[in-house]
Amino acid sequence: MIGIVENDRIFRVSKGTRLADDLKKDLGSHSGICSDALARKLPVYAIYRKSQLMACYVFRKEDHQLVCSDEWTPERLPAKIANETDLCICRDLISILAWKNGWTAQFHGHLVKADHGALLLQILEGLVFGAAMGLIVWLARRHLVISILIGCTWAAASVLLFLNHEIEKQKNRYTFRD
């Protein structure tokens, strides 16, 4: 689940999960719109109110851009809920785009992109932090192998932690531009 708006729960659906099976069953004759996207590991979002499917959004790749190609809604969502839902989905798309350099996404007229410069800076900071910790251990213990192992482990953990923090920061900062 990526978010809650009023009583609606927003999910990013993954292939092979129970949610994917439930979504296909709930879509009934329209299940073809999500089956192909899930098979190709493209983003699919489902909005449920309790156990009732309210909307489904399916993305496709198009020249280094993720574009909402199909959507299914049995009834129109109220404007406030639709706007907050769009914002939640756009913010989640940043976490997908963070791993696709040069990619953008388009959802209901809103352009979404990740700041890869900031992500690269976090990688560099993590590596430098790991090297510094390795140097500190080497200065304290004078064991080269141990200091290299600790430095590399610390660098890997720092990079993952710093990247996750930067992605969350970019997601929280995202707003619609009028």
Side-chain angles (χ1 to χ4, degrees):
M1 184 168 61
I2 63 167
I4 298 175
V5 176
E6 304 269 327
N7 292 326
D8 297 344
R9 289 177 167 66
I10 306 164
F11 297 93
R12 183 179 349 142
V13 183
S14 300
K15 179 183 176 183
T17 61
R18 181 175 155 226
L19 182 60
D21 296 337
D22 290 347
L23 178 62
K24 289 176 189 174
K25 186 173 54 177
D26 291 341
L27 285 171
S29 63
H30 301 284
S31 67
I33 65 172
C34 73
S35 296
D36 186 45
L38 287 173
R40 294 187 301 143
K41 296 184 179 175
L42 294 171
V44 175
Y45 292 94
I47 302 169
Y48 279 92
R49 182 172 296 147
K50 295 190 180 171
S51 63
Q52 179 184 2
L53 180 65
M54 300 304 294
C56 177
Y57 302 104
V58 179
F59 286 78
R60 65 178 155 74
K61 292 180 186 176
E62 191 176 277
D63 295 327
H64 287 57
Q65 187 173 38
L66 294 172
V67 179
C68 184
S69 61
D70 291 310
E71 58 183 79
W72 178 88
T73 53
E75 60 187 58
R76 188 170 166 83
L77 296 172
K80 181 184 178 203
I81 293 174
N83 194 38
E84 289 182 35
T85 300
D86 288 358
L87 182 61
C88 190
I89 290 173
C90 287
R91 286 180 172 173
D92 186 66
L93 284 168
I94 290 174
S95 61
I96 295 171
L97 296 173
W99 307 106
K100 297 178 179 285
N101 193 17
W103 282 66
T104 59
Q106 188 82 24
F107 182 61
H108 290 169
H110 305 291
L111 182 66
V112 181
K113 53 185 168 177
D115 181 6
H116 286 93
L119 294 171
L120 285 172
L121 183 62
Q122 295 303 315
I123 291 171
L124 183 63
E125 285 180 12
L127 294 174
V128 168
F129 192 61
M133 291 308 293
L135 179 63
I136 289 170
V137 169
W138 181 77
L139 289 172
R141 305 279 300 170
R142 298 285 185 195
H143 290 281
L144 185 61
V145 174
I146 293 173
S147 63
I148 289 172
L149 288 173
I150 289 176
C152 289
T153 304
W154 208 287
S158 298
V159 165
L160 291 174
L161 182 69
F162 294 169
L163 278 176
N164 186 46
H165 177 70
E166 179 62 31
I167 290 169
E168 288 301 315
K169 196 162 68 171
Q170 287 185 27
K171 286 167 63 173
N172 291 335
R173 232 182 340 197
Y174 181 83
T175 58
F176 293 145
R177 294 187 179 103
D178 295 328

